[in-house]
Amino acid sequence: MATEQPKTRVPVTLERSLAALSMAALCLVTFANVVTRYLTDVSLAFTEEYSIFLLVVMTLFGSAVAAAADRHIRITFIADKLPPSLRRVTELVAWTAALAMFGLLVWYGGRLTYDQWRFEETSPGLGNPQWLYTVWLPLLSAVVALRVIGRLIRTAKGTA
């Protein structure tokens, strides 16, 4: 079932494509590890680090698409019973809370990335600089936050 493109100023095509690409890469890396482990009883060392990285990337790109399309998970049992004006207020509060959460991810993820870079922390499996994996958390959280801001604006204007 194909979903309709959300009506946004900036199309979500890139985020959708990158989420799908990271999911495909995650599937390939995991499948290669399973086959290698089955045939040789030896696990590929790099797969865990790359799998976690790809899962975070896929999740955040998916969150950006979900925010743009107003498809974020939420419980609306009570809000659906409210009059339209109050329902809009609850939506604004919910999207503001989402913006605050992704703002915190940008801030603290950025601080974590900086600390990992500053202290030259390396990944446990491959010895790669850890910040190369972590830098995507604040960057992609900022992308999601921008999509949430767009949703907030459309909700406040009543065009959502």
Side-chain angles (χ1 to χ4, degrees):
M1 175 170 122
T3 58
E4 166 182 327
Q5 283 281 77
K7 292 172 179 47
T8 60
R9 276 196 185 165
V10 179
V12 294
T13 309
L14 183 62
E15 285 112 320
R16 278 183 195 242
S17 300
L18 291 173
L21 185 64
S22 50
M23 186 185 326
L26 177 63
C27 290
L28 286 174
V29 166
T30 304
F31 182 71
N33 188 32
V34 168
V35 169
T36 303
R37 188 175 210 145
Y38 179 76
L39 295 175
T40 65
D41 287 332
V42 175
S43 180
L44 298 174
F46 70 91
T47 59
E48 182 180 354
E49 287 181 15
Y50 291 158
S51 293
I52 292 169
F53 160 72
L54 289 168
L55 185 64
V56 169
V57 168
M58 179 188 66
T59 301
L60 290 171
F61 276 130
S63 294
V65 173
D70 194 25
R71 307 285 291 169
H72 258 282
I73 188 168
R74 56 187 172 248
I75 300 170
T76 61
F77 179 76
I78 296 172
D80 287 345
K81 296 181 183 339
L82 296 173
S85 60
L86 284 177
R87 193 176 317 138
R88 194 159 122 208
V89 169
T90 60
E91 275 193 54
L92 289 170
V93 168
W95 285 116
T96 303
L99 179 61
M101 183 54 60
F102 283 105
L104 287 171
L105 282 173
V106 169
W107 174 254
Y108 286 112
R111 289 186 61 185
L112 174 64
T113 302
Y114 174 70
D115 282 346
Q116 289 174 340
W117 174 77
R118 184 173 58 153
F119 294 117
E120 298 178 3
E121 196 174 317
T122 58
S123 63
L126 298 174
N128 293 334
Q130 187 67 37
W131 68 268
L132 291 174
Y133 301 119
T134 311
V135 71
W136 297 101
L137 174 67
L139 290 177
L140 296 179
S141 293
V143 170
V144 178
L146 290 172
R147 290 295 184 179
V148 169
I149 290 170
R151 174 55 55 188
L152 262 169
I153 291 169
R154 287 191 300 280
T155 301
K157 286 181 179 179
T159 60

